[in-house]
Amino acid sequence: MELYTVVTSALCTLLLPLLLIITATKLWELYCFSRRDTSCHWPLPPGTMGLPFFGETLQMVLQRRKFLQLKRRKYGHIYKTHLFGTPTVRVLGADNVRHILLGEHRLVSVQWPASVRTILGSGCLSNLHDSQHKDMKKVIMQAFSREALENYVPVMEEEMKSAIDMWLQSGSCVLVYPAVKRLMFRIAMRLLLGFEPAQMDPTHEQPLVEAFEEMIRNLFSLPIDVPFSGLYRGLRARDIIHAKIEENIKEKLRQEPKSSCKDALQLLIDHSRKNGQPVDLQALKESATELLFGGHGTTASAATSLITFLALHKEVVQKVRQELESKGLLSNKPDEKKDLSIEILQQLTYTGCVLKETLRLSPPVPGGFRVARKTFVLNGYQIPKGWNVIYSIADTHDVAEIFPNKDEFDPDRFLTPFPEDSSRFSFIPFGGGVRSCVGKEFAKILLKIFIVELCRNCDWDLLNGPPTMKTGPIVYPVDNLPTIFKPFSSTC
């Protein structure tokens, strides 16, 4: 009898929690299913909604690529899930993405997860809508005009030469990803926010870089602001960044611009003064933080991928050098060496193909977030009003039929133009539609200069071979890419 009682008690102890979990999960699935639009006869996409409240957020954050690959293999190009507290549909493939990106304001509108909106703030471009977004984008685009970009080239070249010289003189391995992040951060601080080099000594710069890393790490977290949570850490890091930017804004407000070519922050300040209203300091800090995030995080990721692919494909480096030599950019004689300019950079066709191929295989930003403004049908499935919609850049590149041998690094594939209809949404490293990246021309020029300076100044080898890549939320190498740099000397 006692044995029976013990066994019964043990079974109850084990089974009751299990039954409660199963019941809660089933009720959660029923609740999520009830969120469908019953007025639409089309079914919801296939997929699972995960655990109550948490959904599949934890699996996605912890496993990222593995999680997304499993989902894609099991459910195809459209599937449902539950991420960051909201039912979500994830889409990939050129045709599906085309509907999302061209459906802005009609089918969908931008809506990043609550943690992103909280940390970056409501005043930044990514979180603005309709006329406010249009007006702000118009202002910021002035900082990326051809004239502005032409003025940026010498600063970009100066910073890159200085960084590469340090890598060459180190005499030991360089952890590329942190080094490139510091480089791109300095460039963004100078060109986008107007910081002077004297304001960016390593003592003050490093804490700011670390704060940015902490903020970015916690951008995509559960929307719970309690001590030690991801959102809490992200907000504390954001406050450090805001304090530094506020110093710069107040300095700009006290002085007249020193140059006719204004940085993006100065343009935003001038725009905020137009109507005679008091300057909205918080909105300016949010916009400046977003500019720094977009201006250095993504370019650092892409530059790290460039070093990786070029190290693994020495024949591509040789072809780049041949192109540089043909344009007079490889000469060792100072009187023969041409200065870089927008015009010359645009003539570097093959170098541009190297950049495109890098962005195809390793886009820094894996996708974008939208929310359904109304229920609509996509490829036979209903997307209910209010559900989040994530479009995937990386997976869309991966499944694009216009790229044969898609796993190979082959810049030559971009030498022949693709038909416009088939390629427009098969290759979208900067997004598309009215929400495409405002700084894409800035990024292209910056990364082209990076390729030029690398290939005409050094050779390099990866100490650990091809790296394992992780997304958090920007793509980066897990080992930070330890690399040995050696001087390259042209025989020209």
Side-chain angles (χ1 to χ4, degrees):
M1 190 68 180
E2 286 184 9
L3 179 62
Y4 174 79
T5 303
V6 169
V7 171
T8 303
S9 177
L11 286 174
C12 288
T13 302
L14 293 171
L15 289 177
L16 189 57
L18 182 61
L19 288 171
L20 287 173
I21 291 171
I22 292 171
T23 302
T25 303
K26 290 296 182 184
L27 288 172
W28 172 250
E29 289 178 357
L30 287 171
Y31 166 73
C32 291
F33 183 77
S34 72
R35 301 287 300 275
R36 69 187 295 273
D37 188 339
T38 55
S39 67
C40 178
H41 69 275
W42 293 96
L44 287 169
T48 54
M49 306 302 272
L51 298 172
F53 179 71
F54 294 100
E56 297 184 311
T57 305
L58 295 177
Q59 296 99 303
M60 200 275 286
V61 169
L62 294 174
Q63 298 178 327
R64 191 67 200 194
R65 287 195 169 196
K66 182 180 178 182
F67 171 79
L68 296 177
Q69 287 169 354
L70 288 171
K71 288 285 186 180
R72 192 178 97 192
R73 282 199 294 267
K74 188 170 183 178
Y75 300 117
H77 291 188
I78 304 177
Y79 58 84
K80 69 176 183 287
T81 178
H82 200 281
L83 299 173
F84 308 108
T86 308
T88 300
V89 174
R90 193 167 183 272
V91 304
L92 55 123
D95 289 339
N96 294 329
V97 170
R98 179 200 305 267
H99 280 89
I100 300 303
L101 293 180
L102 296 186
E104 187 76 27
H105 306 314
R106 181 173 53 86
L107 301 178
V108 298
S109 58
V110 71
Q111 179 167 293
W112 291 90
S115 58
V116 178
R117 300 197 303 272
T118 302
I119 292 172
L120 291 185
S122 59
C124 66
L125 186 66
S126 297
N127 290 326
L128 294 177
H129 294 87
D130 304 324
S131 61
Q132 285 184 314
H133 176 265
K134 185 177 179 181
D135 291 345
M136 180 73 79
K137 184 175 181 179
K138 189 176 180 181
V139 173
I140 293 175
M141 285 300 292
Q142 295 175 53
F144 303 122
S145 66
R146 184 183 176 90
E147 179 188 3
L149 292 173
E150 193 72 67
N151 286 319
Y152 295 162
V153 169
V155 175
M156 292 177 178
E157 195 173 3
E158 172 198 333
E159 289 288 351
M160 288 181 190
K161 283 180 177 176
S162 175
I164 290 172
D165 283 346
M166 287 178 59
W167 302 348
L168 289 170
Q169 292 167 16
S170 70
S172 59
C173 88
V174 174
L175 293 178
V176 164
Y177 185 54
V180 169
K181 274 193 293 187
R182 287 193 295 272
L183 167 62
M184 296 305 177
F185 189 79
R186 284 181 62 85
I187 292 172
M189 289 283 280
R190 289 185 64 180
L191 297 180
L192 301 182
L193 302 194
F195 276 74
E196 299 293 335
Q199 296 175 272
M200 294 160 33
D201 63 276
T203 306
H204 295 92
E205 181 183 338
Q206 189 58 31
L208 207 55
V209 172
E210 291 172 1
F212 243 98
E213 290 179 7
E214 181 70 7
M215 186 190 82
I216 291 169
R217 262 196 306 271
N218 293 291
L219 265 181
F220 293 86
S221 54
L222 288 171
I224 306 170
D225 185 11
V226 296
F228 310 112
S229 68
L231 181 59
Y232 178 88
R233 293 195 299 271
L235 288 170
R236 301 294 81 75
R238 190 272 318 267
D239 291 343
I240 294 171
I241 298 161
H242 276 195
K244 184 66 175 176
I245 291 172
E246 184 173 336
E247 291 176 18
N248 197 44
I249 293 171
K250 289 179 176 177
E251 186 67 24
K252 284 177 175 291
L253 290 171
R254 284 192 293 267
Q255 300 177 355
E256 289 298 317
K258 298 177 181 178
S259 169
S260 58
C261 181
K262 298 178 181 179
D263 56 78
L265 180 55
Q266 185 64 56
L267 289 166
L268 289 169
I269 290 172
D270 292 349
H271 177 70
S272 69
R273 286 167 152 176
K274 272 186 178 179
N275 299 324
Q277 298 293 323
V279 170
D280 187 340
L281 195 58
Q282 183 63 23
L284 286 173
K285 288 189 290 186
E286 290 172 0
S287 294
T289 302
E290 181 187 37
L291 281 168
L292 268 185
F293 170 51
H296 93 278
T298 54
T299 52
S301 172
T304 303
S305 294
L306 279 165
I307 288 177
T308 301
F309 288 125
L310 290 173
L312 297 172
H313 300 275
K314 304 292 188 185
E315 72 285 359
V316 174
V317 176
Q318 292 307 313
K319 293 180 76 170
V320 170
R321 286 174 176 158
Q322 289 169 12
E323 182 172 69
L324 298 182
E325 185 179 350
S326 73
K327 301 298 180 184
L329 297 171
L330 210 60
S331 174
N332 284 327
K333 301 174 183 176
D335 57 332
E336 294 180 6
K337 199 171 186 177
K338 290 184 182 178
D339 291 328
L340 289 179
S341 65
I342 297 292
E343 184 179 358
I344 289 176
L345 289 166
Q346 289 177 336
Q347 294 172 18
L348 299 177
T349 306
Y350 184 74
T351 302
C353 293
V354 171
L355 175 56
K356 287 179 180 178
E357 182 69 343
T358 299
L359 295 176
R360 181 187 73 84
L361 281 170
S362 188
V365 178
F369 286 77
R370 300 291 187 270
V371 63
R373 295 172 68 110
K374 62 180 182 180
T375 299
F376 63 95
V377 176
L378 181 63
N379 205 11
Y381 298 110
Q382 68 159 281
I383 313 296
K385 179 181 178 180
W387 281 43
N388 276 354
V389 181
I390 299 177
Y391 73 89
S392 171
I393 293 174
D395 284 337
T396 296
H397 289 181
D398 196 37
V399 301
E401 295 180 357
I402 65 169
F403 300 124
N405 304 315
K406 57 189 68 174
D407 293 331
E408 295 181 13
F409 183 76
D410 180 19
D412 290 65
R413 74 173 80 243
F414 284 99
L415 288 172
T416 304
F418 297 102
E420 175 66 21
D421 287 346
S422 65
S423 67
R424 185 177 175 190
F425 292 94
S426 294
F427 180 64
I428 49 170
F430 299 102
V434 297
R435 289 277 178 176
S436 63
C437 175
V438 293
K440 63 183 178 183
E441 295 306 321
F442 176 89
K444 289 176 187 177
I445 294 298
L446 177 66
L447 293 167
K448 264 194 170 183
I449 294 173
F450 187 70
I451 298 171
V452 171
E453 293 303 327
L454 271 178
C455 291
R456 68 180 181 179
N457 286 294
C458 52
D459 288 305
W460 61 98
D461 294 294
L462 310 181
L463 290 187
N464 295 345
T468 299
M469 304 301 288
K470 190 174 180 180
T471 304
I474 294 170
V475 174
Y476 68 96
V478 171
D479 65 355
N480 282 325
L481 205 69
T483 303
I484 292 285
F485 290 89
K486 297 165 288 187
F488 166 74
S489 180
S490 169
T491 56
C492 299

